[in-house]
Amino acid sequence: MTDLGLDRRAEVTPAPPMRFMTRVAAGILAAPVILRLATVLLLCACLTVATPNFLTEMNILNVLRQTALLFLVASGLTLVLIGGGIDLSVGANLGLSACVSALVLQATGSLALTLAAGIAIGTLVGFANGLLVAVMRIPPFIATYGMLWVLLGITYRVMAGESVHGFPASFRFLGSGHLFGVPVPVYLMFLFLGVGGLFLSRTRWGQEVYAMGANPEAARLSGIPIRSRQILTYTLSGAMAGLAALVLLARVNSAEGDIGEAMTLPAITAVLIGGTSLFGGLGTVSGTFVGALILTLVINGMNLLSVHSNWQPFVAGAIVILAVLVDRLTSQRQS
């Protein structure tokens, strides 16, 4: 995932003290949102002391831009997890949406058609996932894992081993442009942070998603249309993946078959760090924003400290495992 700082050019350095890191990560995952925000400040303070390059305007804007891209993918995924599901195909969905959008832009030069193609592909894939889970009754893990490989196959077939690059400046503005000195993706992040928060807290559909994730049988008996709500969450997640694909495409100015492969794990990690339960019924979009910011700061800090790039997916995977363990322990304690 190019823009999350998985920089393969980093120099080889000794491994960090993992025992200390796992303790810190466990503390982060068990804390409420306010303490996660305190964790963000603590991380910023530590990185400011550890490296003079952290507190520069360029690096801060880079962190915000990477957080925005990760948040756009993870925010839709948050709805799926709150509703009791999982979407392992979100990265592959992003990759297919980006590649099809790039081909449309190359063939037509139309910004409107390019934006429509990206959102439409992502939405259709999300809708298909919803049908597989809600109508075909296939377990979410199996359905979306199978969809992951289907999408990868289509993407590689569409791209035929080639890459598309060199997009017009008017399109690149979406991922690389600035308004009043702030990257455009950051505005999108705060826009959908507000929209997602209002959807979950102020709408009946949002409350029904919580109820469905907390106790599907009780939700069904109370009259909540479980199937349509499941299809809704997967469709919205797919639409956000399509939007993120356009932002990523405009940022990196290139599309290849593997453009979205590295997005799934960071997105799931951000959601779990943000406090959303892997077992459904609990979570917020604002928590996912904080989770995305924490994960981006961790990766940015490792890049600035020249930690080898191989440790970055290792740390992300370790945080996912810890998040599941903490979530399970919390659920057992509440029960």
Side-chain angles (χ1 to χ4, degrees), residues 42 54 66 70 111 173 186 196 217 231 233 260 270 273 325 328 330:
L42 179 61
F54 174 73
Q66 293 178 359
L70 179 57
L111 294 181
F173 181 77
V186 176
E217 183 60 21
I231 294 174
T233 58
I273 293 176
L325 290 175
R328 179 177 291 276
T330 304

PDB file of all heavy atoms in Angstrom, residues 42 54 66 70 111 173 186 196 217 231 233 260 270 273 325 328 330:
ATOM      1  N   LEU A  42       0.490  11.327  22.808  1.00  0.00           N
ATOM      2  CA  LEU A  42       1.724  10.723  23.337  1.00  0.00           C
ATOM      3  C   LEU A  42       2.627  10.263  22.199  1.00  0.00           C
ATOM      4  O   LEU A  42       3.851  10.464  22.234  1.00  0.00           O
ATOM      5  CB  LEU A  42       1.376   9.546  24.244  1.00  0.00           C
ATOM      6  CG  LEU A  42       2.569   8.801  24.864  1.00  0.00           C
ATOM      7  CD1 LEU A  42       3.378   9.754  25.745  1.00  0.00           C
ATOM      8  CD2 LEU A  42       2.085   7.598  25.679  1.00  0.00           C
ATOM      9  N   PHE A  54       9.744  14.731  12.184  1.00  0.00           N
ATOM     10  CA  PHE A  54       8.320  14.445  12.381  1.00  0.00           C
ATOM     11  C   PHE A  54       7.483  15.718  12.365  1.00  0.00           C
ATOM     12  O   PHE A  54       6.485  15.809  11.656  1.00  0.00           O
ATOM     13  CB  PHE A  54       8.100  13.703  13.700  1.00  0.00           C
ATOM     14  CG  PHE A  54       6.650  13.517  14.035  1.00  0.00           C
ATOM     15  CD1 PHE A  54       5.876  12.589  13.340  1.00  0.00           C
ATOM     16  CD2 PHE A  54       6.022  14.286  15.017  1.00  0.00           C
ATOM     17  CE1 PHE A  54       4.525  12.437  13.617  1.00  0.00           C
ATOM     18  CE2 PHE A  54       4.683  14.126  15.302  1.00  0.00           C
ATOM     19  CZ  PHE A  54       3.929  13.196  14.604  1.00  0.00           C
ATOM     20  N   GLN A  66      -2.446  10.424   4.418  1.00  0.00           N
ATOM     21  CA  GLN A  66      -2.481   8.966   4.514  1.00  0.00           C
ATOM     22  C   GLN A  66      -3.589   8.500   5.447  1.00  0.00           C
ATOM     23  O   GLN A  66      -4.247   7.480   5.186  1.00  0.00           O
ATOM     24  CB  GLN A  66      -1.123   8.456   4.991  1.00  0.00           C
ATOM     25  CG  GLN A  66      -0.014   8.688   3.977  1.00  0.00           C
ATOM     26  CD  GLN A  66       1.339   8.233   4.481  1.00  0.00           C
ATOM     27  OE1 GLN A  66       1.464   7.754   5.600  1.00  0.00           O
ATOM     28  NE2 GLN A  66       2.358   8.396   3.669  1.00  0.00           N
ATOM     29  N   LEU A  70      -6.807   5.974   4.426  1.00  0.00           N
ATOM     30  CA  LEU A  70      -7.121   4.789   5.225  1.00  0.00           C
ATOM     31  C   LEU A  70      -8.511   4.906   5.845  1.00  0.00           C
ATOM     32  O   LEU A  70      -9.272   3.924   5.889  1.00  0.00           O
ATOM     33  CB  LEU A  70      -6.063   4.617   6.315  1.00  0.00           C
ATOM     34  CG  LEU A  70      -6.233   3.434   7.264  1.00  0.00           C
ATOM     35  CD1 LEU A  70      -6.297   2.115   6.493  1.00  0.00           C
ATOM     36  CD2 LEU A  70      -5.083   3.401   8.269  1.00  0.00           C
ATOM     37  N   LEU A 111     -13.774  13.209 -16.733  1.00  0.00           N
ATOM     38  CA  LEU A 111     -13.697  13.102 -15.275  1.00  0.00           C
ATOM     39  C   LEU A 111     -14.993  12.558 -14.697  1.00  0.00           C
ATOM     40  O   LEU A 111     -14.986  11.767 -13.751  1.00  0.00           O
ATOM     41  CB  LEU A 111     -13.385  14.469 -14.675  1.00  0.00           C
ATOM     42  CG  LEU A 111     -12.005  15.068 -14.997  1.00  0.00           C
ATOM     43  CD1 LEU A 111     -11.841  16.408 -14.300  1.00  0.00           C
ATOM     44  CD2 LEU A 111     -10.910  14.110 -14.596  1.00  0.00           C
ATOM     45  N   PHE A 173      -5.977  16.386  -8.790  1.00  0.00           N
ATOM     46  CA  PHE A 173      -6.323  17.319  -7.715  1.00  0.00           C
ATOM     47  C   PHE A 173      -7.072  16.608  -6.582  1.00  0.00           C
ATOM     48  O   PHE A 173      -6.945  16.967  -5.415  1.00  0.00           O
ATOM     49  CB  PHE A 173      -7.187  18.448  -8.287  1.00  0.00           C
ATOM     50  CG  PHE A 173      -7.590  19.478  -7.281  1.00  0.00           C
ATOM     51  CD1 PHE A 173      -6.700  20.448  -6.842  1.00  0.00           C
ATOM     52  CD2 PHE A 173      -8.875  19.476  -6.748  1.00  0.00           C
ATOM     53  CE1 PHE A 173      -7.076  21.392  -5.900  1.00  0.00           C
ATOM     54  CE2 PHE A 173      -9.251  20.418  -5.809  1.00  0.00           C
ATOM     55  CZ  PHE A 173      -8.353  21.381  -5.382  1.00  0.00           C
ATOM     56  N   VAL A 186      -8.188  15.257   3.010  1.00  0.00           N
ATOM     57  CA  VAL A 186      -8.504  15.542   4.418  1.00  0.00           C
ATOM     58  C   VAL A 186      -9.915  16.131   4.541  1.00  0.00           C
ATOM     59  O   VAL A 186     -10.648  15.810   5.480  1.00  0.00           O
ATOM     60  CB  VAL A 186      -7.461  16.500   5.019  1.00  0.00           C
ATOM     61  CG1 VAL A 186      -7.824  16.877   6.456  1.00  0.00           C
ATOM     62  CG2 VAL A 186      -6.077  15.866   4.982  1.00  0.00           C
ATOM     63  N   GLY A 196     -20.911   9.763   8.494  1.00  0.00           N
ATOM     64  CA  GLY A 196     -20.960   8.433   9.118  1.00  0.00           C
ATOM     65  C   GLY A 196     -21.437   8.503  10.560  1.00  0.00           C
ATOM     66  O   GLY A 196     -22.228   7.659  11.002  1.00  0.00           O
ATOM     67  N   GLU A 217     -30.954 -12.307  16.335  1.00  0.00           N
ATOM     68  CA  GLU A 217     -32.240 -12.954  16.522  1.00  0.00           C
ATOM     69  C   GLU A 217     -33.234 -12.007  17.199  1.00  0.00           C
ATOM     70  O   GLU A 217     -34.400 -11.904  16.788  1.00  0.00           O
ATOM     71  CB  GLU A 217     -32.078 -14.225  17.357  1.00  0.00           C
ATOM     72  CG  GLU A 217     -33.362 -15.023  17.539  1.00  0.00           C
ATOM     73  CD  GLU A 217     -33.958 -15.494  16.211  1.00  0.00           C
ATOM     74  OE1 GLU A 217     -33.207 -15.551  15.209  1.00  0.00           O
ATOM     75  OE2 GLU A 217     -35.167 -15.789  16.169  1.00  0.00           O
ATOM     76  N   ILE A 231     -27.376  -6.004   3.467  1.00  0.00           N
ATOM     77  CA  ILE A 231     -27.049  -5.553   2.107  1.00  0.00           C
ATOM     78  C   ILE A 231     -26.651  -4.077   2.122  1.00  0.00           C
ATOM     79  O   ILE A 231     -25.717  -3.656   1.431  1.00  0.00           O
ATOM     80  CB  ILE A 231     -28.253  -5.786   1.172  1.00  0.00           C
ATOM     81  CG1 ILE A 231     -28.502  -7.293   1.014  1.00  0.00           C
ATOM     82  CG2 ILE A 231     -28.010  -5.145  -0.191  1.00  0.00           C
ATOM     83  CD1 ILE A 231     -29.759  -7.625   0.228  1.00  0.00           C
ATOM     84  N   THR A 233     -25.190  -2.305   4.593  1.00  0.00           N
ATOM     85  CA  THR A 233     -23.851  -2.064   5.145  1.00  0.00           C
ATOM     86  C   THR A 233     -22.760  -2.476   4.156  1.00  0.00           C
ATOM     87  O   THR A 233     -21.770  -1.760   3.986  1.00  0.00           O
ATOM     88  CB  THR A 233     -23.662  -2.812   6.474  1.00  0.00           C
ATOM     89  OG1 THR A 233     -23.877  -4.221   6.278  1.00  0.00           O
ATOM     90  CG2 THR A 233     -24.621  -2.308   7.533  1.00  0.00           C
ATOM     91  N   GLY A 260      -4.512  -2.438  -4.870  1.00  0.00           N
ATOM     92  CA  GLY A 260      -5.319  -2.449  -3.656  1.00  0.00           C
ATOM     93  C   GLY A 260      -5.025  -3.577  -2.694  1.00  0.00           C
ATOM     94  O   GLY A 260      -5.645  -3.672  -1.631  1.00  0.00           O
ATOM     95  N   ALA A 270      -7.280  -0.533  11.568  1.00  0.00           N
ATOM     96  CA  ALA A 270      -7.758   0.787  12.006  1.00  0.00           C
ATOM     97  C   ALA A 270      -9.117   0.689  12.677  1.00  0.00           C
ATOM     98  O   ALA A 270      -9.367   1.343  13.699  1.00  0.00           O
ATOM     99  CB  ALA A 270      -7.817   1.736  10.806  1.00  0.00           C
ATOM    100  N   ILE A 273      -8.566  -1.002  16.157  1.00  0.00           N
ATOM    101  CA  ILE A 273      -7.920  -0.072  17.093  1.00  0.00           C
ATOM    102  C   ILE A 273      -8.914   0.984  17.553  1.00  0.00           C
ATOM    103  O   ILE A 273      -8.886   1.433  18.706  1.00  0.00           O
ATOM    104  CB  ILE A 273      -6.705   0.610  16.421  1.00  0.00           C
ATOM    105  CG1 ILE A 273      -5.605  -0.407  16.136  1.00  0.00           C
ATOM    106  CG2 ILE A 273      -6.136   1.713  17.316  1.00  0.00           C
ATOM    107  CD1 ILE A 273      -4.427   0.190  15.393  1.00  0.00           C
ATOM    108  N   LEU A 325      -8.046 -10.356  20.677  1.00  0.00           N
ATOM    109  CA  LEU A 325      -7.944 -10.892  22.040  1.00  0.00           C
ATOM    110  C   LEU A 325      -8.583  -9.944  23.054  1.00  0.00           C
ATOM    111  O   LEU A 325      -9.353 -10.366  23.919  1.00  0.00           O
ATOM    112  CB  LEU A 325      -6.469 -11.133  22.391  1.00  0.00           C
ATOM    113  CG  LEU A 325      -5.783 -12.286  21.658  1.00  0.00           C
ATOM    114  CD1 LEU A 325      -4.306 -12.331  22.006  1.00  0.00           C
ATOM    115  CD2 LEU A 325      -6.451 -13.612  22.013  1.00  0.00           C
ATOM    116  N   ARG A 328     -12.340  -9.972  22.674  1.00  0.00           N
ATOM    117  CA  ARG A 328     -12.944 -11.179  23.241  1.00  0.00           C
ATOM    118  C   ARG A 328     -12.988 -11.096  24.770  1.00  0.00           C
ATOM    119  O   ARG A 328     -13.993 -11.428  25.394  1.00  0.00           O
ATOM    120  CB  ARG A 328     -12.151 -12.419  22.804  1.00  0.00           C
ATOM    121  CG  ARG A 328     -12.693 -13.718  23.378  1.00  0.00           C
ATOM    122  CD  ARG A 328     -11.914 -14.897  22.850  1.00  0.00           C
ATOM    123  NE  ARG A 328     -12.174 -15.099  21.433  1.00  0.00           N
ATOM    124  CZ  ARG A 328     -13.225 -15.775  20.964  1.00  0.00           C
ATOM    125  NH1 ARG A 328     -14.102 -16.284  21.797  1.00  0.00           N
ATOM    126  NH2 ARG A 328     -13.391 -15.927  19.681  1.00  0.00           N
ATOM    127  N   THR A 330     -13.006  -8.401  26.585  1.00  0.00           N
ATOM    128  CA  THR A 330     -13.991  -7.387  26.964  1.00  0.00           C
ATOM    129  C   THR A 330     -15.411  -7.928  26.867  1.00  0.00           C
ATOM    130  O   THR A 330     -16.247  -7.698  27.740  1.00  0.00           O
ATOM    131  CB  THR A 330     -13.841  -6.155  26.057  1.00  0.00           C
ATOM    132  OG1 THR A 330     -12.502  -5.665  26.135  1.00  0.00           O
ATOM    133  CG2 THR A 330     -14.800  -5.056  26.474  1.00  0.00           C
TER     134      THR A 330
END
